[in-house]
Amino acid sequence: MKTESADILIIGAGPAGSVAAGLLRKQGRDVLVLEREQFPRFSIGESLLPQSMQYIEEAGFLQDVVEAGFQFKNGAAFERSGRYTDFDFRDKFSPGWGTTYQVERGRFDHVLAQAAERKGATLRFRHEVLTVDFSGEKPEVTVRPPEGETYRVQARFILDASGFGRVLPRLLNLETPSNFPVRGAIFTHVEDRIPVGTFDRNKIRVTTHPEHVHVWYWTIPFSGGRCSLGVVAKKEYLEQYTGTDTERLQAIVNETPSLRELLKDAVWDTPTRKLTGYAANVKSLWGPGFALLGNAGEFLDPVFSSGVTIAFKSASLASACIARQFAGETVDWERDYAKPLKAGVDTFRTFVESWYEGGFQDIIFHPNPSPDVRKMISAILAGYAWDKNNPYVADSKRRLGVLEELCAV
C-alpha cells in the first residue's frame, strides 16, 4: 500500500478544516485536506456571526468571502406571539466585527475550500478516511479514494474537522451522550416571495411557536429572494405530524400566524431535509497527535447560529498550539486548547438552556430593557462568547439567572 506524508492532515474541508488549512499554510506547514464528499454540497447552518469574520480574515480568506456576493447581515430579530424585537450587532459591548453574511453553505464552504487550496493546501474530494493508528512514531490513516487503491497517510498531527461525520470520535470511541434533550429539525430552502419592506433581510429571524416555548423557527434570507426555513423541536413533537417532510414542515409553519402570513406566497421548490439528535459531545477534544475541531467535537444547538463561529475558534486555537508545538515548545492541549474553547461553548450553552426554559425569551422581549445589558447580550449573540470583559460571559449563569428573575416579576 502506498504511503504519503504531510505535516498536518485535516479530515474534512468544511469551515473548520478550511480555515485551519489557511492558518497553517501561513505558518508554512505542508497541509493535506481529505474530504469525503464532493463540493459544493448541501449543508445546514447558514447564518454566520460577526465574530467569525475575524477568523476568515486571519486565514487570508476575507476577499474571497466579501466578493462572493452573499447576503449582508447586521443582526438578529426575534418574534413571539406578535411581539418583535431585534439586535443590531454593530451596537454591542465587545469590540470587533459587527456585520457578517447569511450564506448558502454549499457555496460558502466551497469558497473557503478553494481559498485554502489557493493558499497552498492540498485538497482531495471524495477521499474517505477508513482507519486511524496512533501507535507508531507518527499518526497514520488509511484512505479510500473514489477510484484506485487504498493508500496510507502519515502526518505529524491530525485535525478532525469532519463535522457531523465525527471520524475520530467514532474510530477512537470518544463519543459520549449530550446532556441536551433529543431535538430534531426539519428544514428546506424556498423562493420566499416576501414583499419588499415587510421583512428585514439583513437579519436572521427567530420565531417562537405561539403555544410552545420550546418550538422555534428560523428564517434566514439569502441574496436572490430565497431563504432557509426550518423548525426545531423535541423529537416527540415533530413525530406527531404525518405526511412527507415538506407537508410536516408546512403544517408546523402554518401554526404560527406571523410566519404563515410572511411566507404565504413562497414557492417550496427544494427537497425538505431533517436531522434528529444533533447535539453531540466527546470524552476529550484532543489526544496525542490529534485534536477535534468544531462539530467533530461538540455541537450544542442551532438557535443562536454558533456552530460555524465555534468551528473557526477551534481552528484558530488549534493552529496556534501546533505552531508552538512544532517550534519545540511543550504544549498542554487541555489548558491551551480544550479549556479556552469550552469557555465560550459553555457561555453559549447557558444561553441555549435559558432559551428553551423560556427565561432568555422573557429577557429579550422585556418592554423596558436596559441599554447596557442589551449591548452585552448583543455581543454574545454576535459570537463574542470568549470576551471575559463582558459580565455576561465572565459570569454568564449567575447574571443570566438574576436577569431572568427580574424579568419574570
Side-chain angles (χ1 to χ4, degrees), residues 191-195 259-268:
E191 180 186 340
D192 57 73
R193 298 191 178 182
I194 299 172
L259 271 185
R260 184 174 63 236
E261 175 64 22
L262 196 68
L263 298 168
K264 63 182 180 181
D265 297 322
V267 178
W268 296 63

Side-chain angles (χ1 to χ4, degrees), residues 55 159 263 371:
Y55 306 113
L159 295 175
L263 298 168

Side-chain angles (χ1 to χ4, degrees), residues 79-100:
E79 194 271 337
R80 182 178 69 179
S81 300
R83 300 177 65 183
Y84 177 91
T85 187
D86 62 32
F87 289 83
D88 187 325
F89 292 157
R90 295 166 294 188
D91 185 21
K92 65 185 188 316
F93 175 86
S94 303
W97 283 81
T99 63
T100 185

